[in-house]
Amino acid sequence: MKNKNVLLVEDNLDDVELTLRAFKKNNFLNEVVVVNDGVQALDYLFGEGKYADRDVLNMPQLIILDLKLPKLDGFEVLKRIRADERTKLLPVVIMTSSKEDRDLLEGYENGANSYVHKPVNFEQFVEAVRQLGLYWLLLNESPSVK
Amino acid sequence: MKLNYWLKQLFLFILFILPVIAMALFSYRYLERNLNEVTLMRRTAMAELAATFIDEKLNHLVDLGKALATRRQFLRHVESGRWDDAIKITEHVPSDFPFISRVSIVDIDGTLKASTPGQHDLVGKSLSNRDWHKGVRRNWQPYVSEVFQAMYGALPNVVAVATPVKNDAGIPVGILVLLIKLDVFSGWINNYKIDGTGFLFVVDQKGQLVAHKKFAPQGEIIDFSMVPSAQKVLRGEEGWGIFYNPVEKELRLSAFRPVPSFGWGCVVTQPKKDAFMLRDKVLTNIFIGYAIIILFSALTAIFILKQMAVRRVSEEKVRVLNKELSYKVKQLKDVNKELETFAYSVSHDLRAPLRSIDGFSKIILEESSDKLDENAINHFNRIRAASGRMAELINDLLLLSRVSRNELRIEKIDLSAIVQKISQDLRSRQPQRMVEFHIAGGIFAYGDSVLLENVLVNLMENSWKFTSKHASANIEFGVLNEGKKRVYFVRDDGAGFDLKYADKLFGAFQRMHTHGEFDGLGIGLATVSRILHRHGGSIWADSAVEKGAVFYFTLGDLA
């Protein structure tokens, strides 16, 4: 597996733990960078704040984005990502507890590539992550960033 | 403001009433005019008739005189001065013609020569100053005199008809005088009666009364020349008038007509108020009638105006109610919005901790199972099961609230296809179970596809659950056509339930079996019931313990 990293934007620490475990269980060896709010996510992507030293040319292969985030909510982050030349083509998968139709619609309208519902059941959760990873990290061809 | 309103009301009222009043006035005037005309015409006609009659009668007398005066013998005698012989010939006249009271012969100078019946004191005396003599002498033509008092016997009031007696050469040789007592004329006018107080009177060429209901013919000779109607008729005028009669001292309606050839006049007279009594009676009735109509119209106008006012008030009320209504609707919308927000946060916030509970329990089981004993493992499994149930509960709660909130999206749905899909899904979950599905095909209905799918999933899952204890099972879906209503059903031959508790079946959180017997939540059927009611339908069940269960449901006519 190529060493492409994944940016996980999630404020719930339990969910972070479970997601990382799910990755491990599925033998995805990619580095998962975790940020806990929307501002940090953007800082990371654009090399600002505490991520000022990051090499911004090395964009993540996949962004897993939760919706309910402190400071800046998921849709705002998504909009900013899509607004910037450097990041507008990055695959963004929204992974959220919400099953609401309007969240789904708004997600797609703002340019999300995929919308996945976080199951409560852990086995199902692990399976969902597996499917995600298989598709977005292996099967899917990401556009190269200039 | 108030004044303005009342002014407007008054204006409308007048507008409404005015045509009625105008019409009433107009037709009243018209009637009055007509009735007047009728009254007057009757009297003028009567006067005309009377005048014609008098004229005829006088002509008759004149003719009689002429006839007598031209008899050969009589003429010979008069010519020769043989007065007594001449009068002898005319002796029969008074008895033959009762209205002639005396016949006299006078010479051309007016000296009375002979008279019959009986003696006349004035024989030999000159009567040249008499009106009849003057009248005859004018043209030597027959003449009807004015009324005068005769100088014989009882000195009666008479009228004289004087006829000249002419010889063959046409030269007058004497005058034949016929005296008519006024009683005769009085007798004639008695035939003329008009409405009680009305009567006819006749005046001579001097305006003296010839005949009058109120004056005896042989009483004093009454001079009516001052009476306006007599004055008019003597001037030769004809017509009618309302005059103040100085003799009778009252306003009278008089119709008058001259008797032209004789200078006399006929007057039909009546006190004005009597003459117009009938007219007045009719007009009074009409007036009352119209008054009633106008009153009625006024009341109607008032009523209508009142109704309009009432309508205005109720329109105002409606406006106020509408305002209140839209306020309440807004409140409801706000409440709904709050509910939506609540449901949203529930779906998000409650699931996350559940995921943690389930997730970490699983991880512990996987990674530390060697460190755990059987009990601990069991407990963790229970934890996982409980969190799973809670997740489903949250889903159902959300669904229940969504059902009440949203609008139904009505379309034609293939129920058979949905049931088929559900059956396949169930089978794939537990492929080892021996369950036969009997699904009637081609069953379509109108409703919200998402919600109805939920209903069928619920019912099918129930059947699936409650047949799980049996080695093999049958689950059926179909429709009954009970008269006009289509009744859909899902039937199974599973554990069934006691109908005694049937009324609790569709309440939220009610369960027919204990927790351990069958996995499952009590909320499903409450949701199902709610969905069906929103479709205008209903649901009921039939069952017996260990005899399976049937759930029947109907849908409203939403086509």
Side-chain angles (χ1 to χ4, degrees), chain A residues 12-130:
Chain A
N12 186 320
L13 296 178
D14 286 350
D15 278 349
V16 168
E17 174 82 25
L18 293 172
T19 309
L20 291 177
R21 279 192 178 264
F23 263 84
K24 216 163 83 164
K25 264 195 120 149
N26 287 305
N27 285 318
F28 295 135
L29 300 172
N30 314 63
E31 183 194 340
V32 181
V33 176
V34 179
V35 291
N36 297 120
D37 64 52
V39 173
Q40 279 191 48
L42 295 173
D43 281 350
Y44 176 85
L45 286 170
F46 302 126
E48 288 162 14
K50 76 177 207 206
Y51 297 100
D53 301 329
R54 193 180 83 83
D55 176 15
V56 284
L57 290 175
N58 188 14
M59 281 296 180
Q61 165 102 356
L62 172 69
I63 301 173
I64 298 179
L65 180 64
D66 187 19
L67 285 180
K68 234 176 111 218
L69 299 168
K71 293 191 196 158
L72 216 57
D73 87 353
F75 294 120
E76 263 306 305
V77 174
L78 183 56
K79 280 184 200 161
R80 301 275 192 96
I81 290 174
R82 289 288 172 254
D84 194 295
E85 277 293 323
R86 295 169 283 177
T87 53
K88 74 174 183 187
L89 299 174
L90 290 180
V92 176
V93 172
I94 293 176
M95 209 155 95
T96 177
S97 313
S98 170
K99 266 189 182 165
E100 293 288 311
D101 280 340
R102 56 172 181 174
D103 287 336
L104 182 80
L105 276 172
E106 201 169 344
Y108 279 110
E109 273 175 19
N110 283 305
N113 297 77
S114 174
Y115 188 103
V116 174
H117 177 248
K118 272 192 234 172
V120 169
N121 180 286
F122 187 61
E123 273 112 348
Q124 290 175 9
F125 185 75
V126 170
E127 179 61 22
V129 169
R130 189 176 84 87

Side-chain angles (χ1 to χ4, degrees), chain B residues 362-381:
Chain B
K362 182 69 186 177
I363 291 169
I364 290 172
L365 283 173
E366 284 177 355
E367 296 177 359
S368 315
S369 56
D370 50 332
K371 298 196 190 86
L372 296 166
D373 68 347
E374 217 176 282
N375 272 335
I377 294 173
N378 183 16
H379 294 158
F380 276 115
N381 280 328

Side-chain angles (χ1 to χ4, degrees), chain B residues 186-200:
Chain B
S186 290
W188 287 341
I189 67 158
N190 274 335
N191 293 326
Y192 290 87
K193 289 197 218 0
I194 301 113
D195 296 345
T197 56
F199 58 86
L200 165 72

Side-chain angles (χ1 to χ4, degrees), chain B residues 382-401:
Chain B
R382 285 186 179 227
I383 290 172
R384 298 199 68 216
S387 61
R389 280 201 298 281
M390 188 159 160
E392 284 196 41
L393 201 66
I394 293 171
N395 283 342
D396 276 4
L397 268 170
L398 281 176
L399 186 63
L400 195 60
S401 75

